[in-house]
Amino acid sequence: MTTEEYLASERNQFWREELRKNKKTKERVDIPRVKMRELDPGYRSHNNEEVNLGLTVDQALSEAQRCLDCVNPMCITGCPVAINIPKFIKNIERNEFLEAAKTLKETSALPAVCGRVCPQEKQCEAKCMYIQKMGKEPVAIGYLERFAADYERESGQISVPETAPKNGIKIAVVGSGPSGLSFALDMAKFGYDVTVFEALHEIGGVLKYGIPEFRLPNKIVDIEVDVLRKIGVKFITDCIIGKTLMYEDLHEQGFKGIFIGSGAGLPRFMNIPGENLNGVMSANEYLTRVNLMDAANPESDTPVLTGKKVAVIGGGNTAMDAVRTARRLGAERAVIVYRRSEEEMPARIEEVKHAKEEGVEFFTLHNPIEYYGDEKGRIKQMLLQKMTLGEPDASGRRSPVELPGQTDLIDVDQVIVSVGVSPNPLIPASISGLEVTNRGTLVVNQDSMQSSVVDIFAGGDIIHGGATVILAMGDGRKAAKAMDEYLKG
């Protein structure tokens, strides 16, 4: 739609009057949305370098000018951690990039992470007035968030949030993923003595083990975590709560409140014939071994199996991460098998686009029903049932329905299953009185994130069974506010 057509549209009367009154606003509307620079697909599909290259200063200034200074900025309501989006964007527009980064850190523990992996198109950007009133592309809030955070890091002038005087009250955090880090930051800012217990040897949880470096470099996570260290948060690795330390041990050590953000690391399978064949594994195991254990290196103590004909089952971001990793590990043919259509895929549009550019094939409206192995017990073929879409299910998505008698048989030598995860039952089983659902998730008060055990709060995948990074961070912030109120009586 041209500006003239837009001005003539009856459904945009309010904005038509605004544009007539304000030539500067009209000029902002006419600025095209910036395009992120990317590595060439042919080059990047054979290495682990970060695909997206960020914005230049000129691109960031141009994009920041598109912000319309809305009187009622709905973009903030779309952000689970309530970043003051207009404020940080206006700082960028004024060339005050470090101030923009400080604004992000007022509410976000991980701005450089969120600028890379958050689904802004379904959250803050979905509320942008460009979409709501004009039908145009929204302000690239995620790109600008990444720009401000990266600029601060590269400048060497990394700001540290202000904290209240220390109150001496000890708080334990179980898990160092996005919900735990967000909770830890806010509690430290409130003045609490915070210790984070991580089961693995690296801090970052799913940010480290679940997201490949070509999408989120580990150094980005490490630098964001260092900010928490600078305000006094302590980290203990290789410590499994429910095994290394029990709930009672934490009490004996003087912890007055506990936040559980241990994620959902128990993979689901489909329970179909042949799933026990060599070469069939979960995306959770595959990505963890590659990302954290150097398993892609043949000289590794625990090398991961790699294939030339790889199929990944699923349509979420984890499935895209797995199939793109397989391409980088030498897969000559890498395919996504998904039982619904591409429109129903939960993966980010950008991730699907990148996968296609890197040579990934998509078998949509297909579902595996059996795997076949060779004489050595290694998978060699998979039988796919063709599907169609029926009536919407409880979530509103159209349910996949089998097309009787219609199947495809394809050759594979590795299958990676990415059909969801469940919480590890270790923590719920080790704490008496902790209420769980039939899916194994913790039951919490959704307003306070408080569990059935009054000094335990929780957030992230442990309560959702699967959540975005930013939703988990929102849980952490909400839990910190509620725990602070609880401890103050």
Side-chain angles (χ1 to χ4, degrees):
M1 179 185 289
T2 66
T3 302
E4 289 71 28
E5 290 171 333
Y6 164 70
L7 292 173
S9 171
E10 289 185 1
R11 70 183 180 86
N12 289 305
Q13 181 177 356
F14 170 79
W15 285 99
R16 184 166 67 247
E17 294 302 320
E18 287 296 303
L19 294 181
R20 283 174 174 165
K21 289 188 295 184
N22 191 334
K23 183 175 182 293
K24 187 175 181 181
T25 299
K26 179 181 179 298
E27 292 170 350
R28 290 178 186 273
V29 169
D30 285 340
I31 298 173
R33 177 180 163 115
V34 72
K35 302 298 181 186
M36 176 77 79
R37 301 170 299 148
E38 301 174 353
L39 290 178
D40 175 75
Y43 169 77
R44 74 190 192 220
S45 61
H46 299 290
N47 61 59
N48 223 27
E49 295 179 29
E50 187 174 11
V51 171
N52 285 336
L53 299 176
L55 303 182
T56 65
V57 169
D58 287 344
Q59 285 179 313
L61 291 172
S62 174
E63 188 62 25
Q65 290 177 37
R66 296 182 69 227
C67 182
L68 296 173
D69 300 317
C70 301
V71 176
N72 182 22
M74 297 302 293
C75 54
I76 298 177
T77 68
C79 176
V81 297
I83 289 172
N84 190 332
I85 293 169
K87 181 181 176 182
F88 100 78
I89 291 179
K90 288 300 135 183
N91 277 322
I92 292 176
E93 186 180 349
R94 292 190 292 266
N95 279 270
E96 296 176 357
F97 305 142
L98 295 177
E99 286 301 314
K102 283 184 181 178
T103 300
L104 290 167
K105 288 183 176 180
E106 288 172 1
T107 55
S108 176
L110 305 165
V113 170
C114 292
R116 286 167 164 80
V117 303
C118 284
Q120 291 95 1
E121 67 276 8
K122 297 178 182 178
Q123 296 173 328
C124 54
E125 292 181 11
K127 301 286 187 178
C128 180
M129 282 300 175
Y130 277 93
I131 289 180
Q132 297 296 322
K133 296 289 185 180
M134 305 178 203
K136 289 176 171 281
E137 288 190 287
V139 175
I141 298 169
Y143 291 176
L144 292 174
E145 180 179 17
R146 170 181 169 155
F147 170 81
D150 286 357
Y151 182 91
E152 181 194 50
R153 183 185 66 257
E154 292 163 8
S155 75
Q157 303 177 62
I158 298 177
S159 63
V160 176
E162 295 182 3
T163 61
K166 298 297 182 184
N167 59 28
I169 300 174
K170 294 175 67 176
I171 302 297
V173 182
V174 182
S176 66
S179 65
L181 294 177
S182 184
F183 173 86
L185 175 68
D186 277 12
M187 291 301 278
K189 286 163 68 174
F190 294 154
Y192 292 93
D193 180 358
V194 182
T195 301
V196 178
F197 296 89
E198 169 56 49
L200 299 177
H201 62 285
E202 292 268 359
I203 299 299
V206 70
L207 304 175
K208 283 284 189 73
Y209 71 75
I211 304 178
E213 289 220 73
F214 59 77
R215 199 153 72 90
L216 176 62
N218 286 341
K219 68 178 183 180
I220 300 297
V221 180
D222 292 338
I223 290 170
E224 305 248 74
V225 169
D226 280 343
V227 172
L228 275 71
R229 286 194 173 96
K230 289 175 180 177
I231 61 172
V233 176
K234 295 182 283 292
F235 293 91
I236 297 176
T237 58
D238 301 305
C239 184
I240 303 172
I241 302 302
K243 187 174 182 180
T244 313
L245 286 176
M246 305 301 287
Y247 171 66
E248 294 78 12
D249 297 326
L250 295 176
H251 275 283
E252 289 178 8
Q253 293 180 17
F255 290 99
K256 302 300 182 183
I258 299 168
F259 176 81
I260 299 178
S262 53
L266 190 65
R268 296 180 197 156
F269 285 90
M270 301 177 66
N271 297 318
I272 61 177
E275 267 188 338
N276 61 340
L277 288 167
N278 289 332
V280 180
M281 64 170 56
S282 72
N284 184 279
E285 177 190 356
Y286 181 70
L287 291 172
T288 300
R289 291 176 65 182
V290 172
N291 294 339
L292 277 188
M293 301 172 66
D294 193 31
N297 180 358
E299 303 300 320
S300 168
D301 292 336
T302 56
V304 72
L305 188 67
T306 57
K308 296 298 182 183
K309 294 171 286 188
V310 180
V312 176
I313 316 303
N317 288 325
T318 300
M320 299 305 147
D321 288 341
V323 77
R324 295 173 67 198
T325 295
R327 282 285 290 138
R328 285 160 172 77
L329 296 187
E332 296 168 358
R333 187 187 192 194
V335 303
I336 283 285
V337 178
Y338 183 58
R339 62 181 184 157
R340 289 184 167 94
S341 71
E342 186 173 321
E343 288 69 31
E344 278 76 35
M345 277 188 173
R348 295 187 69 187
I349 294 173
E350 179 182 73
E351 300 309 313
V352 174
K353 166 184 171 289
H354 284 167
K356 288 182 175 180
E357 291 173 347
E358 293 165 10
V360 174
E361 299 175 53
F362 282 70
F363 277 63
T364 54
L365 292 171
H366 283 77
N367 201 39
I369 55 176
E370 187 167 1
Y371 304 124
Y372 303 108
D374 61 19
E375 63 279 0
K376 296 181 179 179
R378 172 89 183 253
I379 187 168
K380 67 174 184 178
Q381 289 180 316
M382 64 188 307
L383 184 64
L384 302 178
Q385 171 69 57
K386 290 186 178 181
M387 313 291 285
T388 188
L389 292 179
E391 295 300 315
D393 60 16
S395 68
R397 298 163 73 199
R398 293 176 66 190
S399 299
V401 179
E402 294 184 2
L403 291 172
Q406 298 189 38
T407 59
D408 283 322
L409 184 67
I410 66 170
D411 293 335
V412 291
D413 57 10
Q414 185 174 25
V415 170
I416 301 166
V417 181
S418 180
V419 295
V421 290
S422 301
N424 190 308
L426 180 63
I427 288 178
S430 69
I431 302 176
S432 177
L434 197 56
E435 187 179 354
V436 299
T437 69
N438 57 9
R439 297 184 298 121
T441 55
L442 296 188
V443 175
V444 297
N445 180 310
Q446 291 298 321
D447 293 326
S448 67
M449 316 310 289
Q450 189 173 29
S451 75
S452 54
V453 177
V454 294
D455 65 340
I456 294 179
F457 294 67
D461 288 355
I462 191 71
I463 67 168
H464 299 291
T468 62
V469 168
I470 193 65
L471 180 59
M473 290 174 62
D475 289 346
R477 293 207 73 214
K478 190 189 298 184
K481 181 177 183 294
M483 184 182 286
D484 178 49
E485 294 171 353
Y486 161 74
L487 291 170
K488 288 177 177 176

